[in-house]
């Protein structure tokens, strides 16, 4: 039996009120996922502007002190929201890695290299 057949069989066995609640919750999750994607897009628009500003003024893409402050701040926000701070930190580190990639590309396009002066890739504005 395929997964879709299993899902169909399972949904046929679920009480209609339970299925309705499951559908409502899933719709809420879908809406939240869409909001997260749109918020990330807005965040990346802002970090792209930071990257261009830094490249235009030959500023290093790294700001380790800001990165540390951001991780600390996000961990505190996660804690107050009853979200695992370690998960929040992992998520931010994933986002930072993507920002670094963008900033390096912007710096390369501007002719600034995207490295720390020693050829080492560096952290980006977070």
């Amino acid at each position: 039996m395929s997964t879709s057949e299993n899902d169909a069989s399972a949904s046929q066995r679920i009480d209609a009120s339970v299925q309705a609640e499951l559908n409502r919750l899933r719709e809420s999750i879908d809406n939240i996922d869409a909001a997260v994607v749109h918020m990330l897009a807005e965040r990346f628009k802002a970090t792209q502007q930071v990257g261009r500003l830094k490249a235009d003024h030959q500023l290093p893409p790294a700001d380790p002190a800001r990165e540390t402050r951001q991780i600390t701040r996000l961990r505190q926000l996660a804690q107050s929201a009853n979200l695992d701070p370690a998960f929040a930190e992992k998520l931010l580190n994933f986002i930072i890695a993507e920002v670094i990639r963008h900033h390096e590309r912007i710096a390369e396009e501007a002719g600034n290299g995207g490295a720390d002066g020693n050829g080492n890739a560096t952290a980006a504005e977070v």
Side-chain angles (χ1 to χ4, degrees), residues 54 58-64 100 103-105 107-108 111-124:
K54 285 181 170 187
Q58 292 79 45
L59 298 171
D63 190 343
I100 290 169
H103 283 210
E104 289 172 342
R105 182 182 46 77
E108 287 171 8
N112 298 332
D116 66 2
N118 297 318
N120 301 313
T122 56

Side-chain angles (χ1 to χ4, degrees), residues 88-103:
E89 184 173 346
K90 287 178 189 175
L91 177 61
L92 183 60
N93 284 326
F94 181 78
I95 292 168
I96 289 168
E98 187 65 12
V99 170
I100 290 169
R101 192 177 67 75
H102 290 181
H103 283 210

Side-chain angles (χ1 to χ4, degrees), residues 5-15 19:
E5 290 170 337
N6 284 337
D7 290 345
S9 296
S11 66
Q12 291 172 356
R13 292 188 305 258
I14 297 175
D15 181 85
Q19 187 65 52

Side-chain angles (χ1 to χ4, degrees), residues 2-73:
S2 73
T3 302
S4 61
E5 290 170 337
N6 284 337
D7 290 345
S9 296
S11 66
Q12 291 172 356
R13 292 188 305 258
I14 297 175
D15 181 85
S17 64
V18 172
Q19 187 65 52
E21 180 68 2
L22 185 59
N23 292 344
R24 184 190 67 77
L25 291 168
R26 286 177 173 164
E27 185 175 320
S28 178
I29 290 167
D30 292 348
N31 289 336
I32 293 166
D33 287 346
V36 167
V37 168
H38 288 285
M39 292 301 296
L40 283 171
E42 286 301 311
R43 188 186 195 289
F44 277 102
K45 285 178 190 174
T47 61
Q48 293 284 344
Q49 291 173 340
V50 168
R52 283 191 294 277
L53 184 63
K54 285 181 170 187
D56 289 348
H57 295 278
Q58 292 79 45
L59 298 171
D63 190 343
R66 172 153 168 82
E67 182 177 333
T68 299
R69 287 191 311 271
Q70 284 297 91
I71 289 171
T72 299
R73 186 179 74 83

